[in-house]
Amino acid sequence: MDEFALIRQYFSDIGHVAGVEVGIGDDAAVVSMPPSTELAVATDTLVADVHFPASGAAGDVAFRALAVNVSDMAAMAAKPRWFTLALTLPAADPEWLQAFATGLGVAAQRCNVQLIGGDTTRGPLTITLQLLGELPAGQRLLRSGARADDDLFVTGCLGEAAGGLALLKASAVTTDAAKALLQRFWEPPIRTELAVQLAGQLRAAIDVSDGLLSDLGHLCAASEVGARIDLNALPLSPELLACHGQLRAVELALTGGDDYELLLAADPRHRATIEAAGCTRVGRLTAASGIHLHRDGEPAATPAMTGYRHFHGD
Ligand code: ADP
Ligand code: MG
């Protein structure tokens, strides 16, 4: 199958969104933007065996590739609309391509985005997506808008994806709880609607891709504040606790990465609204720099100080 037939067969009909004037097939796509909107642009590359296990099912790989890019849009409170796909494949395996295209179609529908172009090349499996999103002019949500004494919230639960990957690496995905954790790696949460809905109440946001402490560090640096995190408040799922135990679960939540939940900062007067939307308050920002962990009101050591702990309860 030549490149053009491949594109036509698998990628010509992924998602449907308004505003596409010229889609796949010409030299460039053309989209029209509603008046008074700004364009948000983000790109992310997933390299096999670096960002995901190459053994992953093609449909799961596709879903994850789109979801991690959509997560960047959510963190800006932008509505994702269109995307391009630069796909590097070792071979044109029809079975793999069909499963990949099906997974991508499911994800595109879930995220309400349309594939409008891309590039197809031969080489080690690498997937690069670029997302284009729409922002009402002036409503972008940055990392830099937070202030001292703002509340800090996270969406969903933390540590699950990293907890699932750790079990996969240890060949320990045997229980339903372990399978659920691993599925959280392949199916990152879609938080765009929540972010757009709450945008008016938020001062800053970042998506948690590298672990809470790391991404909180980015938000604090950009906003020139410090933070205090209450370890007892971290949202940990029953599955994570069952597979890894409390201590390791907290460590995974703080440093694990791959969650793609949102970390949000807001004036405390919006606390009730943000909690009612399902977010968990995990701490607050401070005028003093540095990130400080607390448990039961007492300072607690950071995971770097406690060191690695072996799997617990598996
Ligand atoms: P060009 O040589 O002008 O870059 P290509 O041959 O690379 O054109 O691509 C032809 C058309 O197919 C273009 O519209 C391009 O955006 C689209 N395309 C190529 N690869 C993909 C892909 N993996 N997914 C979606 N569209 C693609
Ligand atoms: Mg090209």
Side-chain angles (χ1 to χ4, degrees):
M1 185 185 311
D2 72 21
E3 184 190 328
F4 303 106
L6 185 155
I7 295 161
R8 212 176 313 117
Q9 177 157 355
Y10 298 108
F11 297 118
S12 60
D13 191 26
I14 305 272
H16 290 278
V17 176
V20 180
E21 306 293 336
V22 178
I24 290 171
D26 216 307
D27 293 310
V30 178
V31 295
S32 56
M33 303 280 298
S36 305
T37 56
E38 294 172 334
L39 187 65
V41 184
T43 194
D44 251 316
T45 291
L46 273 66
V47 179
D49 281 334
V50 176
H51 300 101
F52 64 92
S55 59
D60 283 340
V61 172
F63 191 100
R64 179 172 160 76
L66 185 55
V68 304
N69 276 277
V70 164
S71 171
D72 283 323
M73 289 288 139
M76 300 296 287
K79 263 192 205 149
R81 298 292 303 271
W82 314 286
F83 71 106
T84 61
L85 165 68
L87 188 58
T88 302
L89 297 168
D93 171 356
E95 223 171 284
W96 192 93
L97 276 163
Q98 187 55 59
F100 183 85
T102 301
L104 197 61
V106 169
Q109 232 176 4
R110 250 294 269 291
C111 301
N112 210 17
V113 294
Q114 180 173 339
L115 180 62
I116 56 169
D119 201 20
T120 308
T121 52
R122 191 183 286 267
L125 179 59
T126 306
I127 301 146
T128 298
L129 263 68
Q130 183 167 58
L131 245 295
L132 306 175
E134 218 176 83
L135 266 169
Q139 285 192 22
R140 55 189 171 257
L141 187 58
L142 304 181
R143 297 176 177 188
S144 56
R147 300 188 201 157
D149 298 323
D150 277 358
D151 283 340
L152 270 177
F153 300 90
V154 293
T155 57
C157 286
L158 298 176
E160 290 179 289
L165 259 197
L167 294 172
L168 180 69
K169 282 179 188 154
S171 303
V173 184
T174 48
T175 62
D176 284 349
K179 285 174 195 159
L181 291 187
L182 185 59
Q183 205 48 34
R184 286 299 305 265
F185 173 82
W186 290 117
E187 271 183 58
I190 309 300
R191 298 296 182 202
T192 41
E193 275 170 29
L194 183 84
V196 169
Q197 174 204 327
L198 289 179
Q201 274 91 54
L202 302 175
R203 282 213 176 106
I206 187 169
D207 64 328
V208 181
S209 53
D210 296 330
L212 180 66
L213 288 183
S214 171
D215 291 306
L216 174 58
H218 296 314
L219 186 142
C220 285
S223 294
E224 297 180 28
V225 291
R228 175 176 161 150
I229 294 288
D230 177 5
L231 296 181
N232 291 334
L234 293 177
L236 306 174
S237 71
E239 291 83 3
L240 185 67
L241 290 167
C243 292
H244 289 284
Q246 170 81 24
L247 209 57
R248 176 83 176 124
V250 167
E251 216 170 59
L252 286 163
L254 290 174
T255 63
D258 288 316
D259 289 316
Y260 295 97
E261 294 292 356
L262 297 178
L263 174 64
L264 309 169
D267 186 306
R269 71 196 161 96
H270 298 304
R271 188 177 292 174
T273 311
I274 296 168
E275 286 181 335
C279 303
T280 305
R281 186 159 56 96
V282 295
R284 64 181 172 81
L285 295 174
T286 57
S289 64
I291 296 173
H292 300 277
L293 306 179
H294 280 70
R295 182 184 272 115
D296 305 322
E298 297 290 320
T302 65
M305 295 174 202
T306 58
Y308 180 80
R309 280 170 208 286
H310 287 284
F311 298 133
H312 180 98
D314 59 324

